[in-house]
Amino acid sequence: MAAPRENVSLLFKFYCLAVMTLVAAAYTIALRYTRTSDKELYFSTTAVCITEVIKLLLSVGILAKEAGSLGRFKASLKENVLGSPKELMKLSVPSLVYAVQNNMAFLALSNLDAAVYQVTYQLKIPCTALCTVLMLNRTLSKLQWISVFMLCGGVILVQWKPAQATKVVVEQNPLLGFGAIAVAVLCSGFAGVYFEKVLKSSDTSLWVRNIQMYLSGIVVTLVGVYLSDGAEINEKGFFYGYTYYVWFVIFLASVGGLYTSVVVKYTDNIMKGFSAAAAIVLSTFASVMLFGLQITLTFALGTLLVCVSIYLYGLPRQDTTSIQQGEIASKERVGGV
């Protein structure tokens, strides 16, 4: 079983956030390198699928170590995975919602200018905060809300790239694009907070929950692989274009995914968003040294906003990382009146 939340120290939470940030930054840098150096680009859909498989295998290994013996490990798998179809269905929800999110994001990008897409898609940050308040019965102070929107603005500025003139005329449907981006933003907030609620609403091991989710994730990503690139994969092979660097990127994505679930378990989705923003800033700074990327005024201003928002959100406040049982009971009493 996972350690009780009361026994998780602040130092451990900080360690998880720091590792997740560093791994995410390293993943971004390595991904950029593979996309600029490899002559034969691999299929990104197959990489996502393999990442899910590796995360599943790592979770199985950690659960086996946590169980302490082969007998307990088998019993845990039989009870929580093979013998719990309802729990498997429950954990398939985030995988399906994320699949919808990715498709809606692609549809939005096809029907909106890149700059408009860049700005509107970052609304997933305040949307996650809103889902946290509504779904987990938490409260955020005015200062925390300000820091969330400040983070949103900072990420927009950090990732801002001026639109480039082009002679190619692309037919777009802005109404469809904004509708798709709205669905993508809502899916992003809902899926993350839904997974957090499942993790924190029972004493089931984090690694059992991961196994349940990654099993459905493999099925969903496999379907995506053959719907998106099926013909080319049949012609060139599933592992076409893979190099040692690509495998390294997949490994980083897998480790990052595991640390993300730990962060969600012991902190929350809002803190995960702050960690992801810090990773964007770190990876961009590293890209300046590795790839000769130029620092712009908008990036500098965005970095400042991200840093200030992290500081403001981290000021002493009421704990918002756990589901308060008293608040839930109070809400139930009100509903029963």
Side-chain angles (χ1 to χ4, degrees):
M1 290 293 188
R5 292 182 54 77
E6 308 77 53
N7 298 333
V8 177
S9 68
L10 184 63
L11 182 61
F12 176 74
K13 293 180 181 181
F14 176 78
Y15 163 78
C16 291
L17 285 166
V19 172
M20 176 187 163
T21 301
L22 292 174
V23 170
Y27 166 76
T28 303
I29 296 166
L31 182 63
R32 179 174 292 154
Y33 178 80
T34 59
R35 285 294 178 179
T36 55
S37 63
D38 290 350
K39 293 181 179 179
E40 294 183 344
L41 293 181
Y42 57 94
F43 297 110
S44 58
T45 52
T46 62
V48 172
C49 183
I50 294 170
T51 299
E52 293 295 305
V53 173
I54 293 177
K55 287 191 291 186
L56 174 65
L57 294 176
L58 290 174
S59 295
V60 169
I62 296 172
L63 179 63
K65 184 178 180 181
E66 187 182 73
S69 68
L70 183 60
R72 290 179 184 174
F73 171 63
K74 288 182 177 179
S76 181
L77 280 182
K78 185 177 180 180
E79 177 185 355
N80 296 297
V81 180
L82 301 177
S84 300
K86 288 185 179 179
E87 294 300 308
L88 284 174
M89 291 296 293
K90 185 190 296 184
L91 269 296
S92 68
V93 172
S95 299
L96 293 171
V97 175
Y98 279 131
V100 173
Q101 175 195 341
N102 291 333
N103 281 281
M104 289 297 103
F106 179 78
L107 181 62
L109 187 56
S110 302
N111 287 279
L112 294 173
D113 291 334
V116 175
Y117 170 84
Q118 209 169 13
V119 171
T120 53
Y121 195 48
Q122 295 312 320
L123 290 173
K124 63 184 180 180
I125 297 173
C127 182
T128 297
L130 182 61
C131 287
T132 297
V133 170
L134 296 177
M135 296 172 63
L136 301 183
N137 194 34
R138 295 180 188 162
T139 56
L140 297 180
S141 67
K142 290 181 180 179
L143 189 59
Q144 287 174 320
W145 278 112
I146 291 172
S147 65
V148 165
F149 281 99
M150 188 180 292
L151 177 71
C152 180
V155 172
I156 290 171
L157 290 176
V158 165
Q159 295 186 315
W160 182 262
K161 292 180 182 179
Q164 296 179 346
T166 176
K167 294 181 180 180
V168 179
V169 178
V170 180
E171 186 177 345
Q172 295 180 324
N173 185 339
L175 187 61
L176 178 61
F178 282 118
I181 204 72
V183 174
V185 165
L186 289 173
C187 285
S188 176
F190 172 80
V193 178
Y194 176 90
F195 181 55
E196 180 181 348
K197 185 172 184 176
V198 172
L199 284 180
K200 294 178 179 178
S201 296
S202 72
D203 293 328
T204 303
S205 167
L206 167 65
W207 308 111
V208 167
R209 292 302 192 192
N210 276 345
I211 291 169
Q212 292 169 338
M213 186 170 71
Y214 296 147
L215 282 171
S216 60
I218 291 171
V219 174
V220 171
T221 53
L222 266 177
V223 172
V225 164
Y226 284 99
L227 286 179
S228 300
D229 303 308
E232 289 186 82
I233 288 173
N234 288 333
E235 178 186 346
K236 299 179 179 179
F238 195 87
F239 298 102
Y240 173 79
Y242 276 59
T243 64
Y244 291 117
Y245 292 113
V246 174
W247 283 108
F248 181 60
V249 168
I250 291 173
F251 172 75
L252 287 176
S254 304
V255 173
L258 293 185
Y259 267 100
T260 297
S261 64
V262 174
V263 165
V264 170
K265 173 75 173 178
Y266 296 114
T267 61
D268 57 33
N269 270 279
I270 301 176
M271 289 302 297
K272 183 187 78 172
F274 278 89
S275 177
I280 292 171
V281 173
L282 282 178
S283 64
T284 305
F285 272 122
S287 296
V288 171
M289 296 179 286
L290 296 174
F291 306 112
L293 203 67
Q294 296 296 316
I295 293 291
T296 62
L297 179 61
T298 54
F299 173 79
L301 180 58
T303 300
L304 178 63
L305 285 176
V306 169
C307 293
V308 172
S309 67
I310 292 173
Y311 170 75
L312 291 177
Y313 193 85
L315 290 176
R317 64 193 188 280
Q318 180 184 359
D319 181 29
T320 63
T321 63
S322 61
I323 299 177
Q324 303 297 331
Q325 297 299 323
E327 292 177 356
I328 295 175
S330 175
K331 189 174 181 181
E332 288 176 349
R333 286 197 298 273
V334 172
V337 175

